[in-house]
Amino acid sequence: MRLANVTAHTLSSPIDPPQDRRYAGGVRRLLKRDFVLVVVETADGDVGVAPGGASSSAMREYFEGASQGDFASVLEEVVAPHVTDDPIDDPSEIHERIAAAGLPEMLESQAISVIDVAYHDLLGKRRGAPVYDLLADGEVTTRLPLYASAGMYMPPEGYAEQAAAIRDRGFGGYKYRPGLGYDDDLRTIRLVREAVGDGVEIMVDAHTWWKMGDASYSFDELVGLVTEMEAYDPYWLEEPVPPADYDAYRELAAEVDVTLAGGESEESPEGLIELAETGAVGFLQGDVRHHRGFTGCWEVVEHCRGTDVTFLPHNFGTHLGLVANAHLAAATPLDGYLEYPVFGDDAAGMYPFPLAEDVLVDDLAVDDGYLELPDGPGLGVEVDFDVIEEYPHVEGPWTEFLDADR
């Protein structure tokens, strides 16, 4: 297959008016959500698509004050010349060619990811097969149980109200993001468990706990809080310590009975495998948008087979990203729940992000807490390219952290 053109469209979905979310470290102001839609065309005129997963942290060594627009420029101006013109016979060639561009590791991984995903979309369309069939060497699962990912910095009663709304939609799990301070974080999980009963799993995404400035939890506070939370049976505790601090993961895992999860912040598939080998995490959260696409993530899936570590894809973006990670989950096959971010301005929604759904022509088949994955060739979905005009890019950060006295 010969790739002829790579186009990256930077889009923004404003949160209007902006929302201020108070937590123990101050106030987080939500301004918008950005998205990079990547389109790859072959010399024969076929089109493959991919969701960009770049963050400013991925580009901190490459740009000062980086944005999603900078990532799009990297794809078009730096990456495209390495993957176009000469035929590509295997996805591994994409990885080798982009590696020659000399990008920082995290940015390289995310650049490889979008081209790898688009290539698999093209390859599936060419062969008349869904991506999950290209990946799987046996059984697949196309009806995927979902957990609802929401809950961002609100009073404890707000989390409980949202959890009940999530339960009423039929989801098997509810993930929320704490960080209100020791007492309120403990009160939150108690209220959430009372709201959902025993029939819904609770996933706690604790990535705020170690970046709240002076309010960040000490290790002893962390152990104490998690030990008290055990009474409410959390399914997992996600990123409770800095992602690169493997010793802290090991020490916490030795002190508590709650299963730990992590991996989304790793810079590469090798990093995911290194985290898995600590023995500290029970769930490993790779993402085809971040960890070198299907090819890179599949290496990690294979590494986890026969171990005590379960690979569950991370996903926190548009429905195009959801579908891409769902193909990986289907091919694994999925043993657990797939992350489904719930956006909107109702009780169940995290915040408005209409672009998340509008990027696809047809709504996904989500019902009673399950996703029925499309069985069409490639990713099996059609992108609505009208979003390029409807959601023009807005300069500036998508979120800001303000002082606690604001």
Side-chain angles (χ1 to χ4, degrees), residues 256-324:
V256 302
D257 291 331
V258 176
T259 302
L260 304 185
E264 68 175 89
S265 299
E266 293 295 333
E267 296 188 355
S268 65
E270 291 80 10
L272 286 168
I273 290 172
E274 188 175 357
L275 177 60
E277 290 180 340
T278 65
V281 299
F283 295 101
L284 194 65
Q285 298 164 310
D287 189 325
V288 298
R289 301 169 306 146
H290 296 281
H291 300 117
R292 299 182 194 164
F294 292 113
T295 304
C297 284
W298 195 253
E299 294 173 6
V300 185
V301 169
E302 294 285 9
H303 178 86
C304 291
R305 292 192 194 279
T307 74
D308 293 330
V309 179
T310 299
F311 185 99
L312 290 180
H314 163 269
N315 175 63
F316 193 69
T318 67
H319 280 197
L320 183 59
L322 171 67
V323 165

Side-chain angles (χ1 to χ4, degrees), residues 160-184:
E161 179 185 6
Q162 187 175 70
I166 293 296
R167 177 207 58 204
D168 292 345
R169 289 194 183 185
F171 289 97
Y174 168 63
K175 184 166 84 174
Y176 71 95
R177 292 147 184 86
L180 306 180
Y182 192 111
D183 292 341
D184 277 343

Side-chain angles (χ1 to χ4, degrees), residues 10-14 31-34 64-73 391-400:
T10 309
L11 313 178
S12 295
S13 185
L31 304 168
K32 59 173 180 164
R33 280 297 301 269
D34 291 329
E64 184 174 351
S67 71
Q68 297 277 34
D70 294 318
F71 181 61
S73 296
Y391 291 91
H393 180 53
V394 177
E395 292 292 340
W398 80 273
T399 185
E400 296 175 336

Side-chain angles (χ1 to χ4, degrees), residues 31-300:
L31 304 168
K32 59 173 180 164
R33 280 297 301 269
D34 291 329
F35 170 59
V36 176
L37 172 62
V38 180
V39 181
V40 177
E41 299 176 70
T42 70
D44 298 328
D46 296 328
V47 174
V49 295
S55 62
S56 57
S57 61
M59 298 175 283
R60 61 184 178 269
E61 299 175 56
Y62 202 79
F63 291 109
E64 184 174 351
S67 71
Q68 297 277 34
D70 294 318
F71 181 61
S73 296
V74 168
L75 291 175
E76 292 184 349
E77 298 170 14
V78 179
V79 173
H82 288 273
V83 297
T84 52
D85 296 331
D86 292 332
I88 296 174
D89 297 320
D90 186 88
S92 62
E93 295 180 29
I94 294 170
H95 298 225
E96 294 169 1
R97 293 189 191 184
I98 296 178
L103 299 171
E105 184 175 30
M106 185 181 286
L107 181 55
E108 176 185 292
S109 288
Q110 296 188 359
I112 288 172
S113 294
V114 291
I115 306 302
D116 184 280
V117 170
Y119 184 88
H120 277 84
D121 187 31
L122 286 163
L123 191 61
K125 291 170 179 174
R126 181 162 292 192
R127 295 182 180 177
V131 168
Y132 57 75
D133 276 345
L134 301 181
L135 299 173
D137 52 10
E139 180 185 1
V140 298
T141 304
T142 57
R143 180 171 165 78
L144 303 169
L146 305 170
Y147 73 86
S149 182
M152 180 176 286
Y153 317 141
M154 61 181 83
E157 293 80 5
Y159 288 107
E161 179 185 6
Q162 187 175 70
I166 293 296
R167 177 207 58 204
D168 292 345
R169 289 194 183 185
F171 289 97
Y174 168 63
K175 184 166 84 174
Y176 71 95
R177 292 147 184 86
L180 306 180
Y182 192 111
D183 292 341
D184 277 343
D185 276 350
L186 185 58
R187 183 163 174 261
T188 294
I189 193 170
R190 175 176 64 81
L191 292 178
V192 167
R193 177 53 74 198
E194 291 174 357
V196 301
D198 296 331
V200 176
E201 304 290 359
I202 299 174
M203 294 80 165
V204 183
D205 187 349
H207 70 280
T208 299
W209 286 357
W210 43 270
K211 52 185 179 182
M212 298 190 298
D214 293 339
S216 295
Y217 299 144
S218 68
F219 186 76
D220 287 343
E221 287 175 318
L222 181 61
V223 171
L225 176 57
V226 177
T227 300
E228 291 197 75
M229 294 177 86
E230 290 171 7
Y232 306 103
D233 194 25
Y235 191 71
W236 74 53
L237 180 64
E238 184 174 334
E239 286 195 334
V241 296
D245 194 345
Y246 293 168
D247 287 340
Y249 266 110
R250 293 186 187 96
E251 291 166 11
L252 183 60
E255 294 283 348
V256 302
D257 291 331
V258 176
T259 302
L260 304 185
E264 68 175 89
S265 299
E266 293 295 333
E267 296 188 355
S268 65
E270 291 80 10
L272 286 168
I273 290 172
E274 188 175 357
L275 177 60
E277 290 180 340
T278 65
V281 299
F283 295 101
L284 194 65
Q285 298 164 310
D287 189 325
V288 298
R289 301 169 306 146
H290 296 281
H291 300 117
R292 299 182 194 164
F294 292 113
T295 304
C297 284
W298 195 253
E299 294 173 6
V300 185

